Amino acid sequence: MESEFDLDKVIRKIPNYPKGGILFFDITSILTNPQAFSYCIDRMVEIYKGTDVAAVAGIESRGFLFSAPLADRLDIPLILVRKAGKLPGDTWRQDYQLEYGMEAVEIHKSDIPRDKEVLLIDDLIATGGTLSAAKTILEKGGATVKNVFGVIGLTFLSFQKKLQGVKVTTLISYSDESL
Ligand code: AMP
């Protein structure tokens, strides 16, 4: 556990949700704790302020909650990575396998900054499949992705394998799925 603030105490863990065998790490208990939420956003600002990151891309939906305040604090654009069928404009789509089922994400083509570095953000990194799919789209649009961020990282799901070649930063990581 690499956290100064004890995020582990704040994060609610729900066994067997959304189905048997999955331990669900619930970040609503961070959002209802202003000190914990500020800690997360302040740490993200500290990590990425003054870097080459030129835009932030947040994954629907819980990734929006952390990417939006960061984009505002860094004063850079926020790009939405949405579930397929939600964005009204011309998009690129990428299908991928999730920890529990198949998924697809889309990004507006016109939102992707060519030759600029985009920081990808989600609340939690499990298999890394969602971030990896979003990275594929961003690179197709000509952006570079060198950094991905999750408040929580589940290292026991080996996200590192799907996110090779990028720096993965988390505020707290769990190496064991037992409580
Ligand atoms: P992945 O693509 O496998 O890295 O999955 C990441 C996405 O699924 C994130 O948006 C998470 O919010 C959600 N997710 C996957 N597994 C869990 C879990 N065990 N607890 C909470 N959220 C999860």
Side-chain angles (χ1 to χ4, degrees):
M1 221 145 297
E2 64 271 66
S3 171
E4 306 149 31
F5 182 96
D6 197 352
L7 272 182
D8 179 50
K9 277 209 178 110
V10 177
I11 297 164
R12 186 187 292 131
K13 290 106 183 159
I14 304 171
N16 301 314
Y17 182 87
K19 66 175 195 187
I22 305 281
L23 178 61
F24 193 83
F25 293 80
D26 177 30
I27 54 88
T28 62
S29 50
I30 295 179
L31 303 174
T32 54
N33 180 327
Q35 212 193 341
F37 190 37
S38 286
Y39 167 77
C40 293
I41 305 305
D42 289 347
R43 285 288 295 121
M44 293 165 78
V45 172
E46 264 170 49
I47 296 166
Y48 298 108
K49 203 176 174 74
T51 68
D52 289 338
V53 167
V56 172
I59 309 277
E60 182 173 1
S61 55
R62 292 182 293 268
F64 293 171
L65 302 165
F66 296 93
S67 56
L70 180 67
D72 178 61
R73 293 271 297 272
L74 296 181
D75 198 21
I76 56 179
L78 172 66
I79 302 165
L80 299 188
V81 182
R82 298 212 60 184
K83 305 278 161 61
K86 298 282 184 80
L87 288 170
D90 196 10
T91 63
W92 269 308
R93 171 192 170 119
Q94 184 69 39
D95 295 284
Y96 65 100
Q97 179 87 43
L98 199 66
E99 188 187 358
Y100 33 84
M102 279 299 287
E103 238 345 320
V105 285
E106 288 183 344
I107 303 176
H108 274 146
K109 290 180 182 176
S110 59
D111 289 352
I112 303 175
R114 184 159 283 281
D115 300 324
K116 296 261 173 66
E117 186 185 338
V118 178
L119 165 67
L120 261 171
I121 295 196
D122 206 350
D123 66 323
L124 176 145
I125 312 177
T127 65
T130 313
L131 289 162
S132 168
K135 177 176 180 283
T136 301
I137 301 175
L138 289 166
E139 288 174 343
K140 194 170 171 179
T144 59
V145 178
K146 294 182 182 159
N147 286 279
V148 305
F149 175 90
V151 176
I152 303 167
L154 305 186
T155 50
F156 59 86
L157 290 172
S158 307
F159 57 76
Q160 297 89 340
K161 275 190 222 148
K162 286 199 175 123
L163 295 170
Q164 278 171 17
V166 289
K167 183 167 165 51
V168 180
T169 304
T170 59
L171 297 185
I172 186 164
S173 63
Y174 293 89
S175 53
D176 187 334
E177 56 194 312
S178 59
L179 279 174

CSV table of all heavy atoms in Angstrom, one decimal, residues 34-73:
chain,number,residue,atom,x,y,z
A,34,PRO,N,-15.2,14.2,1.7
A,34,PRO,CA,-14.5,15.3,1.0
A,34,PRO,C,-13.0,15.3,1.2
A,34,PRO,O,-12.3,15.7,0.3
A,34,PRO,CB,-15.1,16.6,1.7
A,34,PRO,CG,-16.4,16.1,2.3
A,34,PRO,CD,-16.2,14.7,2.6
A,35,GLN,N,-12.5,14.9,2.4
A,35,GLN,CA,-11.1,14.8,2.6
A,35,GLN,C,-10.4,13.8,1.7
A,35,GLN,O,-9.4,14.0,1.1
A,35,GLN,CB,-10.9,14.4,4.1
A,35,GLN,CG,-9.6,15.0,4.7
A,35,GLN,CD,-9.3,14.4,6.0
A,35,GLN,OE1,-10.2,13.7,6.7
A,35,GLN,NE2,-8.1,14.5,6.5
A,36,ALA,N,-11.1,12.7,1.5
A,36,ALA,CA,-10.5,11.6,0.7
A,36,ALA,C,-10.6,12.0,-0.8
A,36,ALA,O,-9.6,11.8,-1.5
A,36,ALA,CB,-11.3,10.3,0.9
A,37,PHE,N,-11.7,12.6,-1.2
A,37,PHE,CA,-11.8,13.1,-2.6
A,37,PHE,C,-10.8,14.1,-2.9
A,37,PHE,O,-10.1,14.0,-3.9
A,37,PHE,CB,-13.2,13.5,-2.8
A,37,PHE,CG,-13.6,13.8,-4.3
A,37,PHE,CD1,-13.1,12.9,-5.3
A,37,PHE,CD2,-14.4,14.8,-4.7
A,37,PHE,CE1,-13.4,13.1,-6.6
A,37,PHE,CE2,-14.8,15.0,-6.0
A,37,PHE,CZ,-14.3,14.2,-7.0
A,38,SER,N,-10.6,15.1,-2.0
A,38,SER,CA,-9.6,16.2,-2.3
A,38,SER,C,-8.2,15.6,-2.3
A,38,SER,O,-7.4,16.0,-3.1
A,38,SER,CB,-9.6,17.2,-1.1
A,38,SER,OG,-10.7,18.0,-1.2
A,39,TYR,N,-8.0,14.6,-1.4
A,39,TYR,CA,-6.6,14.0,-1.4
A,39,TYR,C,-6.4,13.4,-2.8
A,39,TYR,O,-5.3,13.6,-3.4
A,39,TYR,CB,-6.6,12.9,-0.3
A,39,TYR,CG,-5.4,11.9,-0.5
A,39,TYR,CD1,-4.1,12.3,-0.1
A,39,TYR,CD2,-5.5,10.7,-1.1
A,39,TYR,CE1,-3.0,11.5,-0.2
A,39,TYR,CE2,-4.4,9.9,-1.3
A,39,TYR,CZ,-3.2,10.3,-0.8
A,39,TYR,OH,-2.1,9.5,-1.0
A,40,CYS,N,-7.3,12.7,-3.4
A,40,CYS,CA,-7.1,12.0,-4.7
A,40,CYS,C,-6.8,13.1,-5.8
A,40,CYS,O,-5.9,12.9,-6.5
A,40,CYS,CB,-8.4,11.2,-5.1
A,40,CYS,SG,-8.7,9.8,-4.1
A,41,ILE,N,-7.6,14.1,-5.8
A,41,ILE,CA,-7.5,15.1,-6.9
A,41,ILE,C,-6.1,15.9,-6.7
A,41,ILE,O,-5.4,16.1,-7.6
A,41,ILE,CB,-8.7,16.1,-6.9
A,41,ILE,CG1,-10.0,15.4,-7.1
A,41,ILE,CG2,-8.5,17.1,-8.0
A,41,ILE,CD1,-10.1,14.4,-8.2
A,42,ASP,N,-5.8,16.3,-5.4
A,42,ASP,CA,-4.6,17.0,-5.1
A,42,ASP,C,-3.4,16.1,-5.5
A,42,ASP,O,-2.4,16.6,-6.1
A,42,ASP,CB,-4.4,17.3,-3.6
A,42,ASP,CG,-5.4,18.4,-3.2
A,42,ASP,OD1,-6.0,19.1,-4.1
A,42,ASP,OD2,-5.6,18.6,-2.0
A,43,ARG,N,-3.4,14.8,-5.3
A,43,ARG,CA,-2.3,13.9,-5.6
A,43,ARG,C,-2.1,13.9,-7.1
A,43,ARG,O,-1.0,13.9,-7.7
A,43,ARG,CB,-2.5,12.5,-5.1
A,43,ARG,CG,-2.3,12.4,-3.6
A,43,ARG,CD,-0.8,12.4,-3.2
A,43,ARG,NE,-0.1,11.3,-3.7
A,43,ARG,CZ,1.0,11.4,-4.5
A,43,ARG,NH1,1.4,12.6,-4.9
A,43,ARG,NH2,1.7,10.3,-4.9
A,44,MET,N,-3.3,13.8,-7.8
A,44,MET,CA,-3.2,13.7,-9.3
A,44,MET,C,-2.6,15.0,-9.9
A,44,MET,O,-1.8,15.0,-10.8
A,44,MET,CB,-4.7,13.5,-9.9
A,44,MET,CG,-5.2,12.2,-9.5
A,44,MET,SD,-7.0,12.1,-9.8
A,44,MET,CE,-7.1,11.9,-11.5
A,45,VAL,N,-3.0,16.1,-9.3
A,45,VAL,CA,-2.5,17.4,-9.8
A,45,VAL,C,-1.0,17.4,-9.6
A,45,VAL,O,-0.2,17.8,-10.5
A,45,VAL,CB,-3.2,18.6,-9.1
A,45,VAL,CG1,-2.5,19.9,-9.4
A,45,VAL,CG2,-4.6,18.7,-9.4
A,46,GLU,N,-0.5,17.0,-8.4
A,46,GLU,CA,0.9,17.0,-8.0
A,46,GLU,C,1.7,16.1,-9.0
A,46,GLU,O,2.8,16.5,-9.5
A,46,GLU,CB,1.1,16.3,-6.7
A,46,GLU,CG,1.3,17.2,-5.5
A,46,GLU,CD,1.2,16.3,-4.2
A,46,GLU,OE1,1.9,15.3,-4.1
A,46,GLU,OE2,0.4,16.7,-3.4
A,47,ILE,N,1.1,15.0,-9.4
A,47,ILE,CA,1.8,14.0,-10.3
A,47,ILE,C,1.9,14.6,-11.7
A,47,ILE,O,2.9,14.4,-12.3
A,47,ILE,CB,1.1,12.6,-10.3
A,47,ILE,CG1,1.1,12.0,-8.9
A,47,ILE,CG2,1.6,11.7,-11.3
A,47,ILE,CD1,0.2,10.8,-8.6
A,48,TYR,N,0.8,15.2,-12.2
A,48,TYR,CA,0.8,15.6,-13.6
A,48,TYR,C,1.0,17.0,-14.0
A,48,TYR,O,1.2,17.3,-15.2
A,48,TYR,CB,-0.5,15.0,-14.3
A,48,TYR,CG,-0.6,13.5,-14.2
A,48,TYR,CD1,-1.5,12.9,-13.3
A,48,TYR,CD2,0.3,12.7,-14.9
A,48,TYR,CE1,-1.5,11.5,-13.2
A,48,TYR,CE2,0.3,11.3,-14.8
A,48,TYR,CZ,-0.6,10.7,-13.9
A,48,TYR,OH,-0.6,9.4,-13.8
A,49,LYS,N,1.0,17.9,-13.0
A,49,LYS,CA,1.3,19.3,-13.2
A,49,LYS,C,2.7,19.5,-13.8
A,49,LYS,O,3.6,18.9,-13.2
A,49,LYS,CB,1.1,20.1,-12.0
A,49,LYS,CG,0.8,21.6,-12.2
A,49,LYS,CD,0.5,22.3,-10.9
A,49,LYS,CE,0.4,23.8,-11.2
A,49,LYS,NZ,-0.9,24.1,-11.8
A,50,GLY,N,2.9,20.3,-14.8
A,50,GLY,CA,4.2,20.5,-15.3
A,50,GLY,C,4.8,19.4,-16.2
A,50,GLY,O,5.9,19.5,-16.6
A,51,THR,N,4.0,18.4,-16.5
A,51,THR,CA,4.4,17.4,-17.4
A,51,THR,C,3.9,17.7,-18.9
A,51,THR,O,3.3,18.7,-19.1
A,51,THR,CB,3.8,16.0,-17.0
A,51,THR,OG1,2.4,16.0,-17.3
A,51,THR,CG2,4.1,15.6,-15.6
A,52,ASP,N,4.2,16.8,-19.8
A,52,ASP,CA,3.8,17.1,-21.2
A,52,ASP,C,2.3,16.7,-21.5
A,52,ASP,O,1.9,16.8,-22.7
A,52,ASP,CB,4.7,16.2,-22.2
A,52,ASP,CG,6.1,16.8,-22.2
A,52,ASP,OD1,6.3,18.0,-21.9
A,52,ASP,OD2,7.0,16.0,-22.6
A,53,VAL,N,1.6,16.3,-20.5
A,53,VAL,CA,0.2,15.9,-20.7
A,53,VAL,C,-0.6,17.1,-21.2
A,53,VAL,O,-0.6,18.2,-20.5
A,53,VAL,CB,-0.4,15.3,-19.3
A,53,VAL,CG1,-1.9,15.3,-19.4
A,53,VAL,CG2,0.2,14.0,-19.0
A,54,ALA,N,-1.2,17.0,-22.4
A,54,ALA,CA,-1.9,18.1,-23.0
A,54,ALA,C,-3.4,18.0,-22.9
A,54,ALA,O,-4.1,19.0,-23.2
A,54,ALA,CB,-1.4,18.2,-24.4
A,55,ALA,N,-3.9,16.8,-22.6
A,55,ALA,CA,-5.3,16.6,-22.4
A,55,ALA,C,-5.5,15.4,-21.6
A,55,ALA,O,-4.7,14.5,-21.4
A,55,ALA,CB,-6.0,16.3,-23.8
A,56,VAL,N,-6.7,15.3,-20.9
A,56,VAL,CA,-7.1,14.2,-20.0
A,56,VAL,C,-8.2,13.5,-20.7
A,56,VAL,O,-9.2,14.1,-21.1
A,56,VAL,CB,-7.5,14.8,-18.7
A,56,VAL,CG1,-8.0,13.7,-17.8
A,56,VAL,CG2,-6.3,15.5,-18.0
A,57,ALA,N,-8.2,12.2,-20.7
A,57,ALA,CA,-9.3,11.4,-21.2
A,57,ALA,C,-9.8,10.5,-20.1
A,57,ALA,O,-9.1,9.7,-19.5
A,57,ALA,CB,-8.9,10.5,-22.4
A,58,GLY,N,-11.1,10.7,-19.8
A,58,GLY,CA,-11.8,10.0,-18.7
A,58,GLY,C,-12.7,8.9,-19.2
A,58,GLY,O,-13.4,9.1,-20.2
A,59,ILE,N,-12.7,7.7,-18.5
A,59,ILE,CA,-13.5,6.6,-18.9
A,59,ILE,C,-14.8,6.6,-18.2
A,59,ILE,O,-14.9,6.8,-17.0
A,59,ILE,CB,-12.8,5.2,-18.5
A,59,ILE,CG1,-11.3,5.2,-19.0
A,59,ILE,CG2,-13.6,4.0,-19.0
A,59,ILE,CD1,-11.1,4.7,-20.4
A,60,GLU,N,-15.9,6.5,-19.1
A,60,GLU,CA,-17.3,6.4,-18.5
A,60,GLU,C,-17.4,5.3,-17.5
A,60,GLU,O,-17.0,4.1,-17.8
A,60,GLU,CB,-18.3,6.3,-19.6
A,60,GLU,CG,-19.7,6.3,-19.1
A,60,GLU,CD,-20.8,6.3,-20.3
A,60,GLU,OE1,-20.4,6.2,-21.5
A,60,GLU,OE2,-21.9,6.3,-20.0
A,61,SER,N,-18.1,5.4,-16.4
A,61,SER,CA,-18.6,6.7,-15.9
A,61,SER,C,-17.8,7.1,-14.7
A,61,SER,O,-17.6,8.3,-14.5
A,61,SER,CB,-20.1,6.6,-15.6
A,61,SER,OG,-20.3,5.5,-14.6
A,62,ARG,N,-17.3,6.2,-14.0
A,62,ARG,CA,-16.6,6.6,-12.7
A,62,ARG,C,-15.3,7.3,-13.0
A,62,ARG,O,-14.8,8.1,-12.2
A,62,ARG,CB,-16.4,5.4,-11.8
A,62,ARG,CG,-17.7,4.9,-11.2
A,62,ARG,CD,-17.5,3.8,-10.2
A,62,ARG,NE,-17.1,2.6,-10.8
A,62,ARG,CZ,-17.8,1.6,-11.3
A,62,ARG,NH1,-19.2,1.7,-11.2
A,62,ARG,NH2,-17.3,0.5,-11.8
A,63,GLY,N,-14.7,7.1,-14.2
A,63,GLY,CA,-13.5,7.8,-14.6
A,63,GLY,C,-13.7,9.3,-14.8
A,63,GLY,O,-12.8,10.1,-14.6
A,64,PHE,N,-15.0,9.6,-15.1
A,64,PHE,CA,-15.3,11.0,-15.3
A,64,PHE,C,-15.1,11.8,-14.0
A,64,PHE,O,-14.8,13.0,-14.0
A,64,PHE,CB,-16.8,11.2,-15.7
A,64,PHE,CG,-17.1,10.7,-17.1
A,64,PHE,CD1,-18.5,10.6,-17.5
A,64,PHE,CD2,-16.2,10.3,-18.0
A,64,PHE,CE1,-18.8,10.2,-18.8
A,64,PHE,CE2,-16.5,9.8,-19.3
A,64,PHE,CZ,-17.8,9.8,-19.7
A,65,LEU,N,-15.4,11.2,-12.9
A,65,LEU,CA,-15.5,11.9,-11.6
A,65,LEU,C,-14.1,12.3,-11.2
A,65,LEU,O,-14.0,13.3,-10.4
A,65,LEU,CB,-16.0,10.9,-10.5
A,65,LEU,CG,-17.4,10.4,-10.9
A,65,LEU,CD1,-17.8,9.2,-10.0
A,65,LEU,CD2,-18.4,11.5,-10.7
A,66,PHE,N,-13.1,11.6,-11.7
A,66,PHE,CA,-11.7,12.0,-11.3
A,66,PHE,C,-11.0,12.8,-12.4
A,66,PHE,O,-10.1,13.6,-12.2
A,66,PHE,CB,-10.9,10.7,-10.9
A,66,PHE,CG,-11.4,10.1,-9.7
A,66,PHE,CD1,-12.4,9.0,-9.8
A,66,PHE,CD2,-11.1,10.5,-8.4
A,66,PHE,CE1,-12.9,8.5,-8.7
A,66,PHE,CE2,-11.6,9.9,-7.3
A,66,PHE,CZ,-12.6,8.9,-7.4
A,67,SER,N,-11.4,12.5,-13.7
A,67,SER,CA,-10.7,13.2,-14.8
A,67,SER,C,-11.2,14.6,-14.9
A,67,SER,O,-10.4,15.5,-15.3
A,67,SER,CB,-10.9,12.4,-16.1
A,67,SER,OG,-12.3,12.2,-16.3
A,68,ALA,N,-12.5,14.9,-14.7
A,68,ALA,CA,-13.0,16.2,-14.9
A,68,ALA,C,-12.4,17.2,-13.9
A,68,ALA,O,-11.9,18.3,-14.4
A,68,ALA,CB,-14.5,16.2,-14.7
A,69,PRO,N,-12.3,17.0,-12.6
A,69,PRO,CA,-11.6,17.9,-11.7
A,69,PRO,C,-10.2,18.1,-12.1
A,69,PRO,O,-9.6,19.2,-12.0
A,69,PRO,CB,-11.8,17.4,-10.3
A,69,PRO,CG,-12.6,16.2,-10.4
A,69,PRO,CD,-12.9,15.9,-11.8
A,70,LEU,N,-9.5,17.0,-12.5
A,70,LEU,CA,-8.1,17.2,-12.9
A,70,LEU,C,-7.9,18.1,-14.1
A,70,LEU,O,-7.0,18.9,-14.1
A,70,LEU,CB,-7.5,15.8,-13.2
A,70,LEU,CG,-6.0,15.8,-13.6
A,70,LEU,CD1,-5.1,16.3,-12.4
A,70,LEU,CD2,-5.5,14.5,-14.1
A,71,ALA,N,-8.7,17.8,-15.2
A,71,ALA,CA,-8.6,18.7,-16.4
A,71,ALA,C,-8.8,20.1,-16.0
A,71,ALA,O,-8.1,21.0,-16.5
A,71,ALA,CB,-9.7,18.2,-17.4
A,72,ASP,N,-9.8,20.4,-15.1
A,72,ASP,CA,-10.0,21.8,-14.7
A,72,ASP,C,-8.8,22.3,-14.0
A,72,ASP,O,-8.4,23.4,-14.3
A,72,ASP,CB,-11.3,21.8,-13.8
A,72,ASP,CG,-11.6,23.2,-13.3
A,72,ASP,OD1,-11.8,24.1,-14.1
A,72,ASP,OD2,-11.6,23.4,-12.1
A,73,ARG,N,-8.3,21.6,-13.0
A,73,ARG,CA,-7.2,22.1,-12.2
A,73,ARG,C,-5.9,22.3,-13.1
A,73,ARG,O,-5.1,23.2,-12.9
A,73,ARG,CB,-6.8,21.1,-11.1
A,73,ARG,CG,-7.9,21.0,-10.0
A,73,ARG,CD,-7.7,22.0,-8.9
A,73,ARG,NE,-6.5,21.8,-8.2
A,73,ARG,CZ,-6.3,21.0,-7.1
A,73,ARG,NH1,-7.4,20.4,-6.6
A,73,ARG,NH2,-5.2,21.0,-6.5
